[in-house]
Amino acid sequence: PIAVMKFFVIISVVLVTYFQFIQAAKPNIVYILTDDQDIRLNSLHVQPKVKSLLIEQGLYFENAYATTPVCCPSRSSILTGKYVHNHGTYENTVPTGCDSQSWRDRNEHKTMGAYMSNAGYKTGFFGKYLNNYALSESGKTVAHIPPGWTRWYTLVGNSKYFDYSVSNQGIEEKHGNNYTQDYFTDRIRDEAVQFIKDSTKNFDKTPFFMYISTPAPHRPATPAPQYADKFANEVAPRTPSYGLVGTDKHWIISKGTPPLTNNAADVIDNLYRDRIRTLLSVDDLVEEVVTTLEKMGVLDNTYIFYNSDHGYHLGEFGQHGEKRQPYDENIRVPLIVRGPNVPKNKKTSALALNIDMVPTFIDLAGSLIADDIDGVSLKPVLMTKENMKNKDDYQFLLEYYGEGGQFSHCKKEFGFLHDCHNNTWIALRGVSSETDYIFAQFYEKDDFPVDPNLIYFQEFYNITKDPWEVTNEVNILSSKEKAIFEAYLDRWYKCSGKTCQDMRKINLSK
Protein backbone atom coordinates (compact mmCIF):
# COMPACT_ATOMS: atom_id res chain seq x y z
CA PRO A 1 0.00 0.00 0.00
CA ILE A 2 2.81 2.41 0.83
CA ALA A 3 4.45 1.75 -2.52
CA VAL A 4 1.14 2.34 -4.29
CA MET A 5 0.66 5.61 -2.41
CA LYS A 6 4.17 6.74 -3.35
CA PHE A 7 3.44 5.85 -6.96
CA PHE A 8 0.31 7.99 -7.00
CA VAL A 9 2.12 10.86 -5.28
CA ILE A 10 4.85 10.73 -7.94
CA ILE A 11 2.26 10.60 -10.72
CA SER A 12 0.44 13.56 -9.18
CA VAL A 13 3.64 15.60 -8.98
CA VAL A 14 4.48 14.71 -12.58
CA LEU A 15 1.00 15.72 -13.76
CA VAL A 16 1.10 19.02 -11.85
CA THR A 17 4.55 19.76 -13.23
CA TYR A 18 3.36 18.89 -16.73
CA PHE A 19 0.33 21.16 -16.50
CA GLN A 20 2.47 23.97 -15.12
CA PHE A 21 4.89 23.50 -18.00
CA ILE A 22 2.11 23.63 -20.58
CA GLN A 23 0.65 26.71 -18.91
CA ALA A 24 4.05 28.44 -18.78
CA ALA A 25 4.78 27.58 -22.41
CA LYS A 26 1.78 29.52 -23.67
CA PRO A 27 0.82 32.64 -21.72
CA ASN A 28 -2.77 33.84 -21.59
CA ILE A 29 -3.44 37.22 -23.17
CA VAL A 30 -6.18 39.73 -22.29
CA TYR A 31 -6.67 42.75 -24.56
CA ILE A 32 -8.92 45.51 -23.18
CA LEU A 33 -9.87 48.18 -25.73
CA THR A 34 -11.78 51.34 -24.87
CA ASP A 35 -13.64 53.44 -27.43
CA ASP A 36 -12.50 57.06 -28.05
CA GLN A 37 -10.44 57.29 -24.85
CA ASP A 38 -8.02 60.20 -24.93
CA ILE A 39 -4.62 60.27 -23.28
CA ARG A 40 -3.83 63.99 -23.59
CA LEU A 41 -6.98 65.18 -21.80
CA ASN A 42 -6.30 63.28 -18.57
CA SER A 43 -8.95 60.57 -18.76
CA LEU A 44 -6.73 58.05 -16.96
CA HIS A 45 -6.68 60.19 -13.83
CA VAL A 46 -10.24 59.05 -12.97
CA GLN A 47 -9.29 55.37 -13.07
CA PRO A 48 -7.49 54.47 -9.82
CA LYS A 49 -7.88 50.73 -10.44
CA VAL A 50 -6.19 50.96 -13.82
CA LYS A 51 -3.42 52.85 -12.05
CA SER A 52 -2.91 50.36 -9.19
CA LEU A 53 -3.55 47.13 -11.10
CA LEU A 54 -2.00 47.93 -14.49
CA ILE A 55 0.20 51.04 -14.52
CA GLU A 56 1.92 50.31 -11.21
CA GLN A 57 2.20 46.63 -12.10
CA GLY A 58 3.37 47.06 -15.67
CA LEU A 59 4.81 49.16 -18.46
CA TYR A 60 3.31 52.45 -19.67
CA PHE A 61 3.97 53.43 -23.31
CA GLU A 62 4.51 57.19 -23.63
CA ASN A 63 4.50 57.04 -27.43
CA ALA A 64 1.44 54.97 -28.29
CA TYR A 65 -0.57 56.02 -31.33
CA ALA A 66 -3.46 55.03 -33.56
CA THR A 67 -2.64 55.26 -37.25
CA THR A 68 -6.11 56.61 -38.04
CA PRO A 69 -8.45 58.57 -35.74
CA VAL A 70 -11.81 56.94 -36.42
CA CYS A 71 -13.46 53.79 -35.11
CA CYS A 72 -13.95 51.19 -37.83
CA PRO A 73 -10.71 51.81 -39.77
CA SER A 74 -8.68 51.77 -36.55
CA ARG A 75 -10.39 48.64 -35.27
CA SER A 76 -9.74 47.01 -38.62
CA SER A 77 -6.06 47.94 -38.23
CA ILE A 78 -6.02 46.48 -34.72
CA LEU A 79 -7.58 43.24 -35.94
CA THR A 80 -5.32 42.82 -38.99
CA GLY A 81 -2.06 44.56 -38.04
CA LYS A 82 -2.32 46.60 -41.25
CA TYR A 83 -2.52 50.22 -42.27
CA VAL A 84 -5.83 51.45 -43.71
CA HIS A 85 -4.44 51.56 -47.25
CA ASN A 86 -3.67 47.83 -46.95
CA HIS A 87 -6.86 46.51 -45.32
CA GLY A 88 -9.20 48.80 -47.29
CA THR A 89 -11.71 49.77 -44.58
CA TYR A 90 -11.34 53.52 -44.84
CA GLU A 91 -14.44 54.87 -43.11
CA ASN A 92 -17.34 53.90 -40.83
CA THR A 93 -19.88 52.93 -43.51
CA VAL A 94 -20.44 49.65 -45.33
CA PRO A 95 -19.70 51.18 -48.78
CA THR A 96 -16.31 52.27 -47.41
CA GLY A 97 -15.48 48.79 -46.16
CA CYS A 98 -16.74 48.70 -42.56
CA ASP A 99 -17.95 45.12 -41.98
CA SER A 100 -18.66 44.81 -45.68
CA GLN A 101 -18.42 41.71 -47.83
CA SER A 102 -15.10 43.03 -49.14
CA TRP A 103 -13.82 43.17 -45.54
CA ARG A 104 -14.89 39.58 -44.97
CA ASP A 105 -13.40 38.33 -48.23
CA ARG A 106 -10.15 40.25 -47.93
CA ASN A 107 -9.39 40.33 -44.22
CA GLU A 108 -11.59 38.44 -41.82
CA HIS A 109 -9.78 35.10 -42.16
CA LYS A 110 -6.52 36.89 -41.27
CA THR A 111 -7.41 38.72 -38.07
CA MET A 112 -6.59 38.48 -34.41
CA GLY A 113 -9.05 35.68 -33.64
CA ALA A 114 -7.88 33.46 -36.49
CA TYR A 115 -4.19 34.01 -35.74
CA MET A 116 -4.58 33.21 -32.05
CA SER A 117 -6.79 30.19 -32.71
CA ASN A 118 -4.17 28.84 -35.11
CA ALA A 119 -1.58 29.37 -32.35
CA GLY A 120 -3.50 26.93 -30.14
CA TYR A 121 -5.55 29.42 -28.11
CA LYS A 122 -9.10 29.33 -26.90
CA THR A 123 -10.42 32.73 -27.98
CA GLY A 124 -13.16 35.05 -26.77
CA PHE A 125 -14.52 38.34 -28.07
CA PHE A 126 -16.69 40.53 -25.84
CA GLY A 127 -18.08 43.93 -26.84
CA LYS A 128 -17.98 46.17 -29.90
CA TYR A 129 -16.51 44.57 -33.03
CA LEU A 130 -16.99 46.81 -36.08
CA ASN A 131 -19.51 49.64 -36.33
CA ASN A 132 -21.85 47.87 -38.76
CA TYR A 133 -21.63 44.34 -37.44
CA ALA A 134 -24.90 42.41 -38.10
CA LEU A 135 -26.76 45.50 -39.33
CA SER A 136 -28.89 44.86 -42.40
CA GLU A 137 -26.69 46.94 -44.70
CA SER A 138 -23.71 44.72 -43.87
CA GLY A 139 -25.37 41.74 -45.53
CA LYS A 140 -24.93 39.54 -42.47
CA THR A 141 -26.93 38.80 -39.32
CA VAL A 142 -25.96 37.92 -35.75
CA ALA A 143 -25.46 34.35 -36.96
CA HIS A 144 -22.16 35.43 -38.51
CA ILE A 145 -19.20 34.65 -36.23
CA PRO A 146 -15.87 35.64 -37.79
CA PRO A 147 -13.24 32.89 -38.15
CA GLY A 148 -11.20 31.98 -35.10
CA TRP A 149 -13.47 32.99 -32.23
CA THR A 150 -14.40 30.26 -29.73
CA ARG A 151 -16.64 32.52 -27.61
CA TRP A 152 -18.54 35.35 -29.30
CA TYR A 153 -20.53 37.97 -27.35
CA THR A 154 -20.68 40.97 -29.63
CA LEU A 155 -22.65 44.19 -29.99
CA VAL A 156 -24.84 44.71 -33.03
CA GLY A 157 -23.81 48.03 -34.57
CA ASN A 158 -22.06 50.92 -32.83
CA SER A 159 -21.46 51.78 -29.18
CA LYS A 160 -24.48 51.75 -26.89
CA TYR A 161 -25.00 51.31 -23.16
CA PHE A 162 -28.72 50.42 -23.07
CA ASP A 163 -31.33 49.23 -25.59
CA TYR A 164 -29.11 47.14 -27.83
CA SER A 165 -28.76 43.64 -29.24
CA VAL A 166 -25.81 41.29 -29.14
CA SER A 167 -24.80 38.16 -30.96
CA ASN A 168 -24.41 35.53 -28.23
CA GLN A 169 -22.74 32.65 -30.02
CA GLY A 170 -24.65 33.58 -33.20
CA ILE A 171 -28.04 33.99 -31.50
CA GLU A 172 -29.62 37.43 -31.03
CA GLU A 173 -29.95 38.58 -27.42
CA LYS A 174 -31.92 41.79 -26.86
CA HIS A 175 -31.35 44.15 -23.96
CA GLY A 176 -33.36 47.04 -22.54
CA ASN A 177 -32.64 49.75 -19.99
CA ASN A 178 -32.49 47.88 -16.70
CA TYR A 179 -29.09 48.69 -15.19
CA THR A 180 -28.45 45.40 -13.41
CA GLN A 181 -29.35 43.32 -16.47
CA ASP A 182 -28.43 45.51 -19.42
CA TYR A 183 -25.66 48.06 -18.86
CA PHE A 184 -23.32 47.01 -21.63
CA THR A 185 -19.95 47.60 -19.96
CA ASP A 186 -21.08 45.45 -17.05
CA ARG A 187 -22.55 42.78 -19.32
CA ILE A 188 -19.29 42.25 -21.19
CA ARG A 189 -17.43 42.35 -17.86
CA ASP A 190 -19.55 39.49 -16.55
CA GLU A 191 -19.25 37.49 -19.77
CA ALA A 192 -15.47 37.98 -19.84
CA VAL A 193 -15.12 36.90 -16.22
CA GLN A 194 -17.15 33.76 -16.92
CA PHE A 195 -14.91 33.03 -19.91
CA ILE A 196 -11.86 33.15 -17.65
CA LYS A 197 -13.50 30.77 -15.19
CA ASP A 198 -14.61 28.38 -17.92
CA SER A 199 -11.15 28.46 -19.50
CA THR A 200 -9.32 27.56 -16.31
CA LYS A 201 -11.56 25.01 -14.60
CA ASN A 202 -11.07 21.24 -14.53
CA PHE A 203 -7.31 21.46 -15.10
CA ASP A 204 -7.87 22.90 -18.59
CA LYS A 205 -4.47 24.35 -19.44
CA THR A 206 -5.31 25.42 -22.98
CA PRO A 207 -4.11 29.05 -23.13
CA PHE A 208 -6.78 31.64 -23.74
CA PHE A 209 -6.87 34.94 -25.61
CA MET A 210 -9.65 37.40 -24.93
CA TYR A 211 -10.52 40.73 -26.53
CA ILE A 212 -12.74 42.93 -24.33
CA SER A 213 -14.03 45.93 -26.27
CA THR A 214 -15.94 48.42 -24.12
CA PRO A 215 -18.34 51.09 -25.43
CA ALA A 216 -16.89 53.67 -23.04
CA PRO A 217 -16.29 56.52 -23.29
CA HIS A 218 -17.84 56.79 -26.79
CA ARG A 219 -21.02 58.82 -27.22
CA PRO A 220 -23.74 58.72 -26.00
CA ALA A 221 -21.43 58.29 -22.97
CA THR A 222 -24.21 57.09 -20.69
CA PRO A 223 -22.81 56.55 -17.17
CA ALA A 224 -23.95 53.82 -14.82
CA PRO A 225 -26.51 55.25 -12.37
CA GLN A 226 -24.19 54.99 -9.36
CA TYR A 227 -21.69 57.21 -11.17
CA ALA A 228 -24.09 59.67 -12.82
CA ASP A 229 -23.41 62.47 -10.33
CA LYS A 230 -19.64 62.08 -10.07
CA PHE A 231 -17.26 64.87 -11.11
CA ALA A 232 -19.97 67.53 -10.93
CA ASN A 233 -17.40 70.33 -10.84
CA GLU A 234 -15.01 68.96 -13.47
CA VAL A 235 -14.61 70.74 -16.79
CA ALA A 236 -12.79 69.75 -19.97
CA PRO A 237 -9.09 70.62 -19.74
CA ARG A 238 -8.33 74.12 -21.02
CA THR A 239 -5.35 73.11 -23.11
CA PRO A 240 -3.16 75.63 -25.00
CA SER A 241 -5.25 74.97 -28.13
CA TYR A 242 -8.66 74.99 -26.41
CA GLY A 243 -10.94 77.48 -28.16
CA LEU A 244 -8.07 78.68 -30.34
CA VAL A 245 -9.01 79.92 -33.79
CA GLY A 246 -6.76 77.96 -36.13
CA THR A 247 -6.45 80.40 -39.02
CA ASP A 248 -3.32 78.68 -40.42
CA LYS A 249 -4.98 75.24 -40.68
CA HIS A 250 -7.00 73.37 -43.29
CA TRP A 251 -10.45 74.66 -44.09
CA ILE A 252 -12.50 72.49 -41.70
CA ILE A 253 -10.80 74.32 -38.83
CA SER A 254 -9.88 77.69 -40.35
CA LYS A 255 -13.25 78.29 -42.04
CA GLY A 256 -15.63 75.59 -40.78
CA THR A 257 -15.21 76.04 -37.04
CA PRO A 258 -16.72 79.13 -35.41
CA PRO A 259 -15.39 80.56 -32.13
CA LEU A 260 -16.52 78.67 -29.04
CA THR A 261 -19.56 80.17 -27.36
CA ASN A 262 -20.44 79.76 -23.68
CA ASN A 263 -23.23 77.40 -24.73
CA ALA A 264 -20.84 75.30 -26.77
CA ALA A 265 -18.34 75.21 -23.89
CA ASP A 266 -21.09 73.95 -21.58
CA VAL A 267 -21.90 71.15 -24.03
CA ILE A 268 -18.23 70.17 -24.16
CA ASP A 269 -17.95 70.19 -20.36
CA ASN A 270 -21.08 68.07 -19.96
CA LEU A 271 -19.74 65.56 -22.47
CA TYR A 272 -16.37 65.49 -20.70
CA ARG A 273 -18.03 64.70 -17.37
CA ASP A 274 -20.13 61.91 -18.86
CA ARG A 275 -17.12 60.44 -20.64
CA ILE A 276 -15.06 60.13 -17.48
CA ARG A 277 -18.10 58.81 -15.59
CA THR A 278 -18.42 55.94 -18.05
CA LEU A 279 -14.74 55.12 -17.49
CA LEU A 280 -15.47 54.35 -13.84
CA SER A 281 -17.33 51.24 -15.04
CA VAL A 282 -14.32 50.33 -17.16
CA ASP A 283 -12.24 50.70 -14.02
CA ASP A 284 -14.55 48.21 -12.30
CA LEU A 285 -14.20 45.86 -15.27
CA VAL A 286 -10.40 45.95 -15.03
CA GLU A 287 -10.56 45.17 -11.32
CA GLU A 288 -12.93 42.26 -11.82
CA VAL A 289 -10.82 40.76 -14.62
CA VAL A 290 -7.58 41.01 -12.64
CA THR A 291 -9.22 39.65 -9.48
CA THR A 292 -10.67 36.69 -11.37
CA LEU A 293 -7.35 35.88 -13.03
CA GLU A 294 -5.77 35.88 -9.58
CA LYS A 295 -8.48 33.72 -8.03
CA MET A 296 -8.15 31.18 -10.82
CA GLY A 297 -4.38 31.05 -10.33
CA VAL A 298 -3.39 32.29 -13.79
CA LEU A 299 -2.60 35.99 -13.24
CA ASP A 300 1.16 35.40 -13.14
CA ASN A 301 1.04 33.79 -16.56
CA THR A 302 -1.25 36.32 -18.20
CA TYR A 303 -0.45 39.44 -20.21
CA ILE A 304 -2.99 42.25 -19.89
CA PHE A 305 -3.03 45.04 -22.47
CA TYR A 306 -5.05 48.23 -21.96
CA ASN A 307 -5.52 50.38 -25.07
CA SER A 308 -7.91 52.66 -27.01
CA ASP A 309 -8.85 52.70 -30.69
CA HIS A 310 -7.88 56.40 -30.98
CA GLY A 311 -7.95 59.68 -29.08
CA TYR A 312 -10.38 62.58 -28.88
CA HIS A 313 -10.62 66.36 -28.80
CA LEU A 314 -12.84 68.48 -26.57
CA GLY A 315 -12.62 72.12 -27.62
CA GLU A 316 -9.16 72.07 -29.19
CA PHE A 317 -9.14 74.62 -32.04
CA GLY A 318 -12.78 75.27 -31.21
CA GLN A 319 -13.90 71.79 -32.22
CA HIS A 320 -16.49 69.98 -30.14
CA GLY A 321 -16.22 66.39 -28.96
CA GLU A 322 -14.84 64.43 -31.91
CA LYS A 323 -11.71 63.07 -33.56
CA ARG A 324 -10.87 62.86 -37.34
CA GLN A 325 -7.92 65.29 -37.27
CA PRO A 326 -4.16 64.57 -37.45
CA TYR A 327 -3.30 66.32 -34.18
CA ASP A 328 -1.91 64.45 -31.18
CA GLU A 329 -5.05 64.60 -29.04
CA ASN A 330 -6.77 62.54 -31.76
CA ILE A 331 -4.06 59.98 -32.45
CA ARG A 332 -2.27 59.42 -29.13
CA VAL A 333 -3.74 56.63 -27.02
CA PRO A 334 -3.17 54.89 -23.70
CA LEU A 335 -1.21 51.64 -23.85
CA ILE A 336 -0.35 49.80 -20.65
CA VAL A 337 0.92 46.23 -20.41
CA ARG A 338 1.48 43.96 -17.42
CA GLY A 339 2.52 40.32 -17.44
CA PRO A 340 5.37 37.83 -17.08
CA ASN A 341 8.80 39.52 -17.18
CA VAL A 342 7.30 42.95 -17.92
CA PRO A 343 8.94 45.65 -15.75
CA LYS A 344 6.65 47.05 -13.06
CA ASN A 345 5.74 50.69 -12.63
CA LYS A 346 7.97 51.74 -15.54
CA LYS A 347 7.56 53.93 -18.60
CA THR A 348 9.01 53.48 -22.05
CA SER A 349 9.44 55.96 -24.89
CA ALA A 350 9.42 53.15 -27.46
CA LEU A 351 6.93 53.60 -30.29
CA ALA A 352 3.76 51.50 -30.23
CA LEU A 353 1.03 51.58 -32.89
CA ASN A 354 -2.41 50.03 -33.17
CA ILE A 355 -1.04 47.85 -36.00
CA ASP A 356 1.48 46.37 -33.53
CA MET A 357 -1.11 44.54 -31.43
CA VAL A 358 -1.55 41.52 -33.72
CA PRO A 359 2.17 40.81 -34.27
CA THR A 360 2.82 41.27 -30.54
CA PHE A 361 0.16 38.72 -29.58
CA ILE A 362 1.36 36.26 -32.21
CA ASP A 363 4.94 36.64 -30.97
CA LEU A 364 3.95 36.15 -27.33
CA ALA A 365 2.12 33.00 -28.45
CA GLY A 366 5.33 31.68 -30.00
CA SER A 367 4.00 31.63 -33.56
CA LEU A 368 5.30 33.08 -36.82
CA ILE A 369 4.15 36.56 -37.85
CA ALA A 370 2.64 36.69 -41.35
CA ASP A 371 4.71 38.49 -43.97
CA ASP A 372 1.90 40.87 -44.98
CA ILE A 373 1.45 42.36 -41.50
CA ASP A 374 2.58 46.01 -41.39
CA GLY A 375 3.14 46.28 -37.64
CA VAL A 376 5.97 44.97 -35.49
CA SER A 377 6.08 42.92 -32.31
CA LEU A 378 6.48 44.84 -29.07
CA LYS A 379 7.69 41.72 -27.24
CA PRO A 380 11.35 42.90 -27.16
CA VAL A 381 10.25 46.16 -25.54
CA LEU A 382 8.13 44.32 -22.97
CA MET A 383 11.05 42.12 -21.95
CA THR A 384 13.82 44.72 -21.77
CA LYS A 385 15.42 45.63 -18.45
CA GLU A 386 17.37 48.54 -19.90
CA ASN A 387 16.79 52.25 -19.40
CA MET A 388 13.20 52.83 -20.45
CA LYS A 389 13.74 56.53 -21.10
CA ASN A 390 16.14 56.22 -24.04
CA LYS A 391 14.22 57.67 -26.95
CA ASP A 392 14.80 56.09 -30.34
CA ASP A 393 13.98 57.65 -33.71
CA TYR A 394 10.85 56.52 -35.53
CA GLN A 395 8.40 57.63 -38.14
CA PHE A 396 5.01 56.27 -39.11
CA LEU A 397 2.04 56.96 -41.33
CA LEU A 398 -1.29 58.51 -40.40
CA GLU A 399 -4.25 58.44 -42.77
CA TYR A 400 -7.89 59.54 -42.75
CA TYR A 401 -10.56 59.63 -45.44
CA GLY A 402 -13.33 62.20 -45.02
CA GLU A 403 -16.96 61.13 -44.81
CA GLY A 404 -18.17 64.10 -46.85
CA GLY A 405 -19.14 61.89 -49.76
CA GLN A 406 -21.32 59.72 -47.50
CA PHE A 407 -23.73 62.49 -46.46
CA SER A 408 -26.09 64.81 -48.30
CA HIS A 409 -24.85 67.64 -46.08
CA CYS A 410 -21.90 68.23 -43.80
CA LYS A 411 -22.15 66.94 -40.22
CA LYS A 412 -22.66 69.94 -37.97
CA GLU A 413 -23.20 70.68 -34.29
CA PHE A 414 -23.50 74.28 -33.07
CA GLY A 415 -22.20 75.31 -36.48
CA PHE A 416 -19.07 73.19 -36.07
CA LEU A 417 -18.20 70.71 -38.81
CA HIS A 418 -17.50 67.21 -37.52
CA ASP A 419 -16.65 66.16 -41.03
CA CYS A 420 -17.28 67.34 -44.56
CA HIS A 421 -15.86 67.31 -48.06
CA ASN A 422 -12.09 67.63 -48.42
CA ASN A 423 -11.23 66.37 -44.96
CA THR A 424 -9.08 63.58 -46.35
CA TRP A 425 -5.44 63.66 -45.32
CA ILE A 426 -2.32 61.57 -44.91
CA ALA A 427 0.52 62.55 -42.60
CA LEU A 428 4.04 61.58 -41.62
CA ARG A 429 4.56 61.59 -37.85
CA GLY A 430 8.10 61.55 -36.50
CA VAL A 431 9.06 60.55 -32.94
CA SER A 432 12.69 61.45 -32.41
CA SER A 433 15.35 61.97 -29.76
CA GLU A 434 15.87 65.42 -31.29
CA THR A 435 12.62 66.69 -32.83
CA ASP A 436 9.08 65.31 -32.89
CA TYR A 437 7.19 66.49 -35.95
CA ILE A 438 4.19 65.99 -38.19
CA PHE A 439 3.88 66.76 -41.90
CA ALA A 440 0.32 66.48 -43.28
CA GLN A 441 -1.23 66.81 -46.73
CA PHE A 442 -4.92 67.50 -47.36
CA TYR A 443 -6.78 66.50 -50.52
CA GLU A 444 -9.52 68.04 -52.64
CA LYS A 445 -11.50 64.80 -52.90
CA ASP A 446 -12.41 62.13 -50.38
CA ASP A 447 -11.20 59.35 -52.64
CA PHE A 448 -9.61 56.10 -51.57
CA PRO A 449 -6.78 55.86 -52.35
CA VAL A 450 -5.79 59.51 -52.40
CA ASP A 451 -4.90 61.27 -55.66
CA PRO A 452 -1.41 62.82 -55.29
CA ASN A 453 -2.37 65.47 -57.85
CA LEU A 454 -5.16 66.85 -55.69
CA ILE A 455 -3.24 68.19 -52.67
CA TYR A 456 -4.73 71.55 -51.67
CA PHE A 457 -3.09 72.23 -48.29
CA GLN A 458 -0.13 71.20 -46.15
CA GLU A 459 0.70 71.52 -42.45
CA PHE A 460 3.95 71.04 -40.53
CA TYR A 461 4.51 71.23 -36.78
CA ASN A 462 7.63 70.99 -34.69
CA ILE A 463 5.95 69.15 -31.83
CA THR A 464 9.02 69.30 -29.60
CA LYS A 465 8.71 73.07 -29.29
CA ASP A 466 4.98 73.31 -30.13
CA PRO A 467 3.38 70.24 -28.47
CA TRP A 468 -0.19 71.43 -29.05
CA GLU A 469 0.42 72.09 -32.76
CA VAL A 470 -0.64 75.71 -32.56
CA THR A 471 1.59 77.18 -35.28
CA ASN A 472 1.70 75.72 -38.78
CA GLU A 473 5.32 76.10 -39.95
CA VAL A 474 5.00 74.57 -43.40
CA ASN A 475 5.98 77.86 -45.03
CA ILE A 476 9.21 77.91 -43.03
CA LEU A 477 10.36 74.64 -44.60
CA SER A 478 12.79 75.02 -47.47
CA SER A 479 11.75 73.61 -50.83
CA LYS A 480 14.29 70.81 -50.34
CA GLU A 481 12.92 69.91 -46.88
CA LYS A 482 9.36 69.91 -48.17
CA ALA A 483 10.33 67.72 -51.13
CA ILE A 484 11.92 65.19 -48.77
CA PHE A 485 8.80 64.99 -46.62
CA GLU A 486 6.58 64.67 -49.69
CA ALA A 487 8.73 61.89 -51.13
CA TYR A 488 8.78 59.87 -47.92
CA LEU A 489 5.07 60.35 -47.40
CA ASP A 490 4.50 58.96 -50.89
CA ARG A 491 6.70 55.97 -50.08
CA TRP A 492 4.86 55.37 -46.83
CA TYR A 493 1.52 55.42 -48.59
CA LYS A 494 2.70 52.61 -50.87
CA CYS A 495 4.30 50.45 -48.16
CA SER A 496 3.21 46.95 -47.24
CA GLY A 497 4.50 44.39 -44.76
CA LYS A 498 8.26 44.56 -44.31
CA THR A 499 8.64 47.83 -46.19
CA CYS A 500 6.37 49.50 -43.61
CA GLN A 501 8.40 47.94 -40.81
CA ASP A 502 11.75 49.02 -42.27
CA MET A 503 10.67 52.61 -42.84
CA ARG A 504 9.84 53.13 -39.16
CA LYS A 505 13.51 53.58 -38.32
CA ILE A 506 14.22 56.35 -40.83
CA ASN A 507 14.87 59.66 -39.08
CA LEU A 508 14.09 62.81 -41.07
CA SER A 509 14.55 65.24 -38.20
CA LYS A 510 18.37 65.25 -38.39
Side-chain angles (χ1 to χ4, degrees), residues 360-503:
T360 300
F361 300 153
I362 295 173
D363 198 10
L364 289 172
S367 295
L368 295 177
I369 300 168
D371 292 339
D372 61 346
I373 288 178
D374 301 334
V376 302
S377 172
L378 301 175
K379 182 179 177 180
V381 179
L382 298 178
M383 303 303 172
T384 185
K385 303 296 184 184
E386 298 175 2
N387 183 359
M388 294 288 168
K389 298 302 291 182
N390 287 339
K391 192 171 187 180
D392 289 320
D393 301 320
Y394 304 97
Q395 60 169 276
F396 58 96
L397 179 70
L398 300 167
E399 49 189 319
Y400 175 76
Y401 303 85
E403 288 184 316
Q406 303 300 319
F407 301 96
S408 59
H409 56 81
C410 297
K411 299 171 71 175
K412 292 186 178 181
E413 182 182 35
F414 294 96
F416 147 70
L417 298 181
H418 282 301
D419 204 358
C420 199
H421 300 287
N422 317 125
N423 189 36
T424 289
W425 49 263
I426 62 174
L428 186 64
R429 179 68 166 84
V431 178
S432 168
S433 55
E434 294 187 2
T435 303
D436 282 17
Y437 60 86
I438 184 170
F439 177 81
Q441 296 187 152
F442 297 80
Y443 294 82
E444 291 180 7
K445 290 186 177 180
D446 298 319
D447 293 340
F448 174 81
V450 297
D451 186 337
N453 298 312
L454 295 178
I455 300 167
Y456 79 89
F457 199 76
Q458 294 175 322
E459 297 182 17
F460 175 82
Y461 301 94
N462 181 329
I463 297 177
T464 301
K465 71 175 185 179
D466 181 15
W468 288 91
E469 296 152 288
V470 170
T471 305
N472 181 8
E473 294 186 340
V474 72
N475 292 326
I476 297 177
L477 294 176
S478 68
S479 57
K480 180 180 178 180
E481 289 172 325
K482 190 182 296 186
I484 291 173
F485 281 120
E486 290 171 347
Y488 271 98
L489 192 51
D490 182 63
R491 285 179 59 188
W492 263 108
Y493 196 62
K494 297 173 182 175
C495 80
S496 178
K498 191 173 186 304
T499 57
C500 298
Q501 299 166 16
D502 292 343
M503 289 183 67

Side-chain angles (χ1 to χ4, degrees), residues 127-135 154-160 165:
K128 173 181 170 180
Y129 179 56
L130 299 173
N131 297 44
N132 299 297
Y133 171 73
L135 297 179
T154 302
L155 180 69
V156 174
N158 204 359
S159 289
K160 289 185 177 181
S165 293

Side-chain angles (χ1 to χ4, degrees), residues 51-75:
K51 182 175 185 291
S52 63
L53 297 174
L54 300 183
I55 296 175
E56 292 178 357
Q57 299 298 319
L59 187 61
Y60 177 91
F61 283 77
E62 297 178 303
N63 285 300
Y65 297 84
T67 55
T68 185
V70 70
C71 293
C72 203
S74 181
R75 288 165 180 269

Side-chain angles (χ1 to χ4, degrees), residues 242-276:
Y242 179 90
L244 195 66
V245 179
T247 57
D248 60 354
K249 291 173 170 51
H250 60 287
W251 84 272
I252 290 267
I253 291 179
S254 62
K255 295 182 175 63
T257 303
L260 278 183
T261 62
N262 290 336
N263 187 24
D266 287 343
V267 171
I268 290 171
D269 290 339
N270 285 331
L271 175 58
Y272 174 73
R273 286 188 284 269
D274 280 342
R275 280 170 55 83
I276 58 178

Side-chain angles (χ1 to χ4, degrees), residues 13 17 35 102 136 178 195 207 210 232 246 272 282 307-308 356 359 484-485 487:
V13 170
T17 303
D35 196 347
S102 64
S136 59
N178 182 301
F195 177 77
M210 57 193 305
Y272 174 73
V282 177
N307 195 200
S308 177
D356 297 337
I484 291 173
F485 281 120

